[in-house]
Amino acid sequence: MTERGKDYSSGFCGDKIWSWANDLEKSISPMLDRVRRGAQKNHFKVLRAFQALEVSDYHFQESTGYGYGDVGRDVLDSLFARVFGAEAALVRPQIVSGTHAIALCLYGLLRPGDEVVSITGQPYDTLVKIVDGRHQGDGSLRDWGIKHLVVPLVGGKPDFDGIERAITGRTRLVAIQRSRGYSLRPSLSIKEIKDLINHVKGLKPDVICFVDNCYGEFVEELEPPEVGADVIAGSLIKNPGGGIAPAGGYIAGKAELVERITHRLTAPGLGGELGCSLGGKRLYFQGLFLAPLIVSEALQGAVLAAKLFSELGFSVEPHWDEERTDIIQAITLGSKERLVAFCQGLQKGSPVDSHITPEAAPMPGYEDVVIMAGGTFIQGSSIELSADGPLREPYTVFLQGGLAYPYIKAGLLTAIDHMVKQGLLAL
């Protein structure tokens, strides 16, 4: 039995930490209000898409076997296409991750002899083995005679002159990574993506401009297809799943290109006509509907995290009062011990597996040992509150997600409290 009226909020940390955080929170109120106001346009855009496609509970039903005639699946595809400003979309639980969705695009659109150029620096860790491989025969693009080039960033920004030098007559696709990944460069704004695409198309109009959209959905008013991107891809257990989609990924873009990618997901001649929906589709529809709200909550939590840790003397990217272009908050903690303690403390503040102590370990697709914290309802969901980072200098933790602002606040203060108790932080 709980005591009526008792305040449990400060139980996540000491009274001193709680009071300190509440005082700091007052100074970020204007930015939190700004984030909430910015989310309204995306709420209305999604609502109008649902209404225009006349979504009904009939569309939520399960299909089995081949999934022939799954009208709900087709409406879900159309819904994502409309929301993201694309001609067509492919939304499937059979896409196991954002990395898988990106791989489908690359293998579906590239052919032997083509070149792909990453124009926003080195790709995210899990993508490196897809494009470059490590061993002959591992199925990377290199095995198929597809060359991968990287245009390094200059001062954290795309190098337009370097891009011009890198694009050749063989260049079939340029890859743009919207989020920062495991780096400290700023994530890209929609305006920057538009400028990049215009530059590339001016050099070679037939180049496919692909955008890895992970962590960026619904952060700004527009999405990459609305500023010229040919194809985008992402994960449903990140922003567009709204914290309740149980699995899956999406691809959206020009109809001809999406069609080619569907034949990689299934087989030539089958394409997107197959693919059942075991367990139904309600959570995918409802997750997309909730996504602008959940992204707004995550952004507000990121603002708080930036404020708290900048006040503690740590370098944060972006700063609490900067415009945001993805949901990731980078906090450079400066030591392995602090990085581990932060993740372990955040885990203690989670609703699921709060009794588990995460440890650094090798992870599939990552070059370095990685520590990950995430007491999530959906395994690995990074739109729920989670944090991770490779154990390498400068020992930066990458915080993302959060289903509700108060929950994010509790998790952050639990992490700070744990670091203080470990003697790694002083207030």
Side-chain angles (χ1 to χ4, degrees), residues 54-217:
E54 300 181 341
V55 173
S56 166
D57 61 0
Y58 169 78
H59 297 128
F60 307 157
Q61 304 306 308
E62 179 182 43
S63 63
T64 60
Y66 296 127
Y68 286 135
D70 188 335
V71 176
R73 180 194 63 207
D74 298 339
V75 168
L76 186 61
D77 287 347
S78 297
L79 189 59
F80 267 73
R82 181 178 286 263
V83 166
F84 287 113
E87 293 177 4
L90 177 71
V91 186
R92 296 291 185 276
Q94 291 88 357
I95 299 175
V96 302
S97 67
T99 299
H100 184 202
I102 295 166
L104 287 171
C105 294
L106 296 178
Y107 285 102
L109 299 175
L110 296 169
R111 296 294 180 266
D114 285 344
E115 288 181 351
V116 55
V117 182
S118 294
I119 62 174
T120 50
Q122 187 73 4
Y124 187 66
D125 287 31
T126 57
L127 296 177
V128 171
K129 292 181 179 178
I130 294 171
V131 293
D132 287 329
R134 286 294 177 265
H135 305 286
Q136 189 69 26
D138 60 7
S140 70
L141 294 181
R142 186 171 58 176
D143 271 2
W144 295 96
I146 298 168
K147 186 177 181 181
H148 174 240
L149 302 172
V150 175
V151 180
L153 300 172
V154 175
K157 295 291 185 179
D159 178 5
F160 282 76
D161 291 336
I163 293 168
E164 186 169 352
R165 291 191 296 269
I167 292 179
T168 71
R170 292 179 57 191
T171 304
R172 178 62 177 154
L173 182 148
V174 298
I176 299 169
Q177 183 174 297
R178 185 172 178 177
S179 77
R180 68 186 67 249
Y182 276 163
S183 73
L184 292 176
R185 62 94 162 166
S187 55
L188 295 180
S189 69
I190 287 294
K191 182 184 182 304
E192 289 172 312
I193 291 172
K194 178 181 180 179
D195 291 344
L196 274 174
I197 292 170
N198 288 342
H199 182 64
V200 168
K201 295 289 188 180
L203 297 170
K204 195 170 187 290
D206 63 344
V207 168
I208 299 169
C209 289
F210 166 77
V211 178
D212 171 2
N213 209 31
C214 288
Y215 300 106
E217 299 94 345

Side-chain angles (χ1 to χ4, degrees), residues 259-282:
E259 174 66 20
R260 288 169 57 185
I261 294 165
T262 68
H263 296 295
R264 178 71 191 191
L265 175 64
T266 56
L270 301 181
E273 299 298 320
L274 275 71
C276 67
S277 307
L278 295 174
K281 294 173 284 295
R282 179 182 60 81

